Amino acid sequence: MRLRRAATVAATALALALSLPASSAGAATGTFSYVYEDLGGGSHLSVLPDPPSRQCITLSKVASEFAPPSHSPRNDTGSTATVFTGAHCDGDYFTLRPNGGHASERLKLRSVVFS
């Protein structure tokens, strides 16, 4: 009797798990934003919605060493964001806590990775 009940519970749990929508397990849910300046000196806000986790993201607008680095990052994702001074997650780094971690314009960055 116990074996039958355990099998029924296991089958029910499996059916429930399969019926749930797929989650974005490989993504940091929320947004990450930063400010970058164009070559004319104009400031722009850029946003990364639901960025992938454990994957280095080089910020395209500031990837080149000739472009000024971005600044003022804000991490409104549910994951820790580690920002780097260089492209391809190279150079000095700083960690921003999840759900509102931010830094001033003094923090320069060119790439980021999420936990």
Side-chain angles (χ1 to χ4, degrees):
M1 187 66 140
R2 287 185 185 172
L3 182 60
R4 187 180 313 161
R5 180 168 183 198
T8 301
V9 169
T12 303
L14 178 62
L16 178 62
L18 292 175
S19 68
L20 294 174
S23 68
S24 56
T29 304
T31 59
F32 178 81
S33 61
Y34 58 95
V35 175
Y36 71 94
E37 319 237 334
D38 60 28
L39 295 177
S43 293
H44 305 277
L45 179 68
S46 189
V47 177
L48 298 174
D50 298 330
S53 296
R54 294 181 286 291
Q55 178 180 344
C56 180
I57 301 168
T58 297
L59 307 175
S60 62
K61 304 287 187 197
V62 296
S64 168
E65 291 295 322
F66 300 108
S70 62
H71 58 84
S72 305
R74 182 169 181 87
N75 182 22
D76 289 316
T77 71
S79 301
T80 300
T82 304
V83 298
F84 295 83
T85 57
H88 313 293
C89 296
D90 289 330
D92 294 333
Y93 63 91
F94 185 80
T95 302
L96 299 171
R97 65 179 172 75
N99 303 314
H102 62 281
S104 73
E105 64 185 36
R106 294 182 308 182
L107 181 63
K108 308 300 184 193
L109 64 141
R110 292 186 191 275
S111 57
V112 60
V113 66
F114 297 89
S115 63

